[in-house]
Amino acid sequence: MSGNLRRQVLGTFKKLHRTRMNTFQDDKYALEATRNKINEEYRKCKDVTDENKIAELNEFALAVEREVRTTIVQAREVEPGKFALRVNTDTEKLDNATLDAAGCSTSTQRKPSSDFKKCSDTTNTS
């Protein structure tokens, strides 16, 4: 593996661990589980020698890091039924969808494609 690619892989490894520390701050179980998973995945791939495959794996690891950094939030129950969220500055904030009891969107902003049926069009066969 070339020196530059080696530096990139090590940088991504460190970035994953920094993201893990920030995302799961104060959650010992999640910190330990993600640390073990990151280390396990890197150990599984330590014998890969094809530079194209290494670069591909590194890009995948960067995509995972971005996903963890931008989509995971921590929630703590502060009183029964009420939760406090810890949202980072990198967390993507999206509009909420209103769902009915069946889990179907009640939003009228976007009409479904004619290829798809609405939840109300399906029949329950169970």
Side-chain angles (χ1 to χ4, degrees):
M1 175 171 22
S2 72
N4 188 38
L5 186 56
R6 184 175 180 83
R7 277 189 297 278
Q8 288 176 359
V9 169
L10 183 58
T12 301
F13 180 78
K14 289 179 177 182
K15 189 174 187 176
L16 277 164
H17 278 288
R18 282 191 302 270
T19 298
R20 166 188 76 87
M21 296 292 289
N22 186 44
T23 302
F24 300 109
Q25 182 179 341
D26 300 327
D27 185 344
K28 290 179 184 177
Y29 177 80
L31 284 168
E32 182 71 19
T34 53
R35 180 173 103 19
N36 290 340
K37 186 63 175 176
I38 291 167
N39 292 342
E40 173 189 330
E41 291 300 319
Y42 271 80
R43 249 184 251 113
K44 281 193 323 192
C45 298
K46 73 178 183 175
D47 295 325
V48 176
T49 57
D50 178 25
E51 291 198 4
N52 290 330
K53 182 66 176 172
I54 293 169
E56 182 182 313
L57 289 167
N58 196 52
E59 286 301 313
F60 179 74
L62 286 170
V64 168
E65 184 277 333
R66 183 187 182 288
E67 194 71 17
V68 168
R69 182 173 36 85
T70 61
T71 61
I72 295 177
V73 296
Q74 285 181 300
R76 289 224 160 97
E77 191 170 26
V78 291
E79 59 184 70
K82 291 197 177 191
F83 294 85
L85 292 180
R86 191 175 76 74
V87 179
N88 296 321
T89 55
D90 291 330
T91 303
E92 292 179 0
K93 294 144 189 96
L94 306 172
D95 291 333
N96 290 334
T98 305
L99 304 177
D100 63 14
C104 299
S105 177
T106 60
S107 174
T108 58
Q109 293 175 355
R110 189 171 78 171
K111 295 187 179 187
S113 166
S114 60
D115 296 340
F116 299 101
K117 293 182 178 181
K118 294 186 262 178
C119 287
S120 57
D121 295 342
T122 61
T123 57
N124 190 350
T125 59
S126 48

